[in-house]
């Protein structure tokens, strides 16, 4: 199942169209379920089991009657109770930024909710000129998770979407302690999309190609199979400390290829286009300004 947020309404994507979402078609969840589910995409995760059960029975009879313009898509979970992110969760990315690859749970920081946006649009660059890119797979929680094991963790994930953990590096590394949460939460710094894809739709949800390109030049090209803490291991470890809630989003970390790790360093510039993708899910396109 693919679930999108089309201008604030939950929509099932029945025909995903081109890789960038052009030509996608689907149905409005609230209308298709005779008012039983939706329409608010922020609250569908609170009734995720009911949604999955309804979809299992109804899927074969659904007919796409809605054009889905990717420009009108919002984040699949637009108001998560909690938005978490993992740092240094790929060994090569830890190395390129001068850190040891973590052996315990990598550093966890918040992405403040006001930074969340959808898979298209303009991102305003803060002053300073050191905004960096970080493609990431984002896991959306579908069931309350407290002290779950890695083997149980996928059952608590509603699905995955594409994410960018945009990062303003000067503030991030200034001061006596790193400012991860703040430096990664400027408006538009947590785009997600184009829609949520349930794990059963993916050939191997634990090994997906992911990457991003600036004006067509590929700058990151990785695989989630190289995550130090895989999605289920990360969910299990986080749930040992906190309670993960339906609708929560977890940015799982970025592979190598970020700008701050380059020689010379490179950062996003006004006028550039950032395309971000994950295999089997789709892609996002943002313009920097
Ligand atoms: Zn990140």
């Amino acid at each position: 199942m693919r679930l999108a947020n089309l201008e604030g309404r939950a929509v099932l994507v029945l025909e995903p169209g081109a890789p960038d979402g052009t030509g996608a078609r689907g149905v409005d969840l609230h209308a298709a379920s005779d008012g039983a589910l939706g329409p608010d995409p922020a609250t569908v995760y609170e009734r995720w089991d009911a949604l999955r059960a309804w979809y299992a029975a109804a899927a074969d009879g659904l007919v796409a009657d809605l054009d889905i313009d990717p420009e009108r898509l919002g984040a699949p979970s637009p108001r998560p109770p909690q938005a978490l992110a993992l740092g240094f969760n790929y060994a090569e990315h830890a190395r390129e930024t001068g850190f040891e690859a973590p052996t315990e749970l990598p550093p966890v920081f918040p992405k403040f909710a006001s930074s969340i946006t959808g898979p298209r649009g303009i991102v305003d660059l803060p002053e300073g000129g050191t905004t960096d890119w970080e493609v990431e797979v984002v896991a959306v929680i579908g069931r309350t998770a407290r002290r779950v094991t890695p083997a149980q963790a996928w059952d608590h994930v509603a699905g995955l979407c594409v994410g960018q953990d945009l990062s303003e590096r000067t503030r991030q590394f200034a001061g006596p302690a790193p400012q991860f949460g703040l430096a990664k939460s400027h408006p538009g710094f947590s785009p997600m999309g184009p829609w949520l894809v349930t794990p059963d739709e993916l050939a191997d949800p634990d090994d997906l190609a992911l990457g991003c390109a600036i004006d067509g030049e590929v700058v990151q090209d990785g695989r989630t199979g190289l995550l130090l803490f895989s999605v289920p291991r990360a969910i299990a470890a986080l749930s040992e400390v906190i309670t993960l809630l339906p609708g929560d989003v977890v940015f799982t970390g970025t592979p190598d290829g970020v700008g701050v790790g380059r020689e010379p360093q490179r950062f996003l510039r006004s006028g550039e286009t950032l395309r971000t993708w994950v295999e089997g899910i789709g892609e996002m396109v943002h313009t920097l300004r």
Side-chain angles (χ1 to χ4, degrees):
M1 184 176 76
R2 289 173 165 77
L3 182 72
N5 168 6
L6 184 64
E7 289 191 317
R9 290 185 71 89
V11 164
L12 295 165
V13 182
L14 304 178
E15 302 165 13
D20 71 352
T22 306
R25 290 175 58 78
V27 290
D28 184 273
L29 177 64
H30 193 68
S33 66
D34 292 324
L37 299 161
D40 183 356
T43 57
V44 292
Y45 304 100
E46 293 164 13
R47 299 190 60 219
W48 191 249
D49 285 347
L51 171 53
R52 290 308 303 264
W54 170 82
Y55 182 76
D60 287 345
L62 295 174
V63 178
D65 60 3
L66 195 63
D67 289 324
I68 298 172
D69 177 359
E71 300 287 340
R72 293 161 59 207
L73 291 171
S77 182
R79 298 193 304 277
Q82 305 174 102
L84 313 168
L86 276 65
F88 310 121
N89 200 14
Y90 290 83
E92 282 303 315
H93 171 63
R95 262 181 225 116
E96 74 178 345
T97 45
F99 291 85
E100 295 280 317
T103 51
E104 300 298 315
L105 181 66
V108 179
F109 55 90
K111 296 275 283 174
F112 295 110
S114 58
S115 64
I116 292 170
T117 53
R120 295 294 181 101
I122 293 167
V123 180
D124 281 318
L125 296 169
E127 285 180 19
T130 57
T131 297
D132 206 346
W133 55 89
E134 292 193 359
V135 56
E136 308 202 1
V137 165
V138 176
V140 181
I141 301 297
R143 279 185 188 156
T144 300
R146 175 69 179 154
R147 293 195 169 135
V148 299
T149 65
Q152 297 167 325
W154 272 121
D155 285 340
H156 295 74
V157 174
L160 304 178
C161 58
V162 185
Q164 263 288 349
D165 177 21
L166 293 168
S167 305
E168 199 278 288
R169 299 299 190 195
T170 301
R171 184 183 298 277
Q172 183 182 348
F173 294 114
Q179 285 275 22
F180 276 59
L182 206 56
K184 291 163 171 272
S185 295
H186 286 267
F189 269 29
S190 306
M192 287 177 264
W195 35 65
L196 173 135
V197 177
T198 52
D200 59 288
E201 296 277 355
L202 300 163
D204 181 356
D206 286 306
D207 188 25
L208 303 169
L210 76 170
C212 65
I214 301 168
D215 288 344
E217 178 189 349
V218 175
V219 288
Q220 287 189 284
D221 181 17
R223 300 200 68 87
T224 61
L226 295 172
L227 279 164
L228 296 171
F229 271 65
S230 64
V231 171
R233 231 181 126 203
I235 299 285
L238 291 168
S239 80
E240 285 295 313
V241 182
I242 62 176
T243 302
L244 292 168
L245 303 169
D248 278 358
V249 296
V250 180
F251 284 72
T252 56
T254 197
D256 61 301
V258 299
V260 76
R262 288 166 184 261
E263 187 60 48
Q265 292 182 334
R266 176 177 174 181
F267 299 106
L268 293 167
R269 290 197 203 140
S270 183
E272 288 178 334
T273 297
L274 179 63
R275 193 168 63 85
T276 310
W277 62 86
V278 176
E279 173 188 11
I281 300 177
E283 65 180 43
M284 310 195 294
V285 184
H286 296 94
T287 302
L288 292 315
R289 178 170 70 185

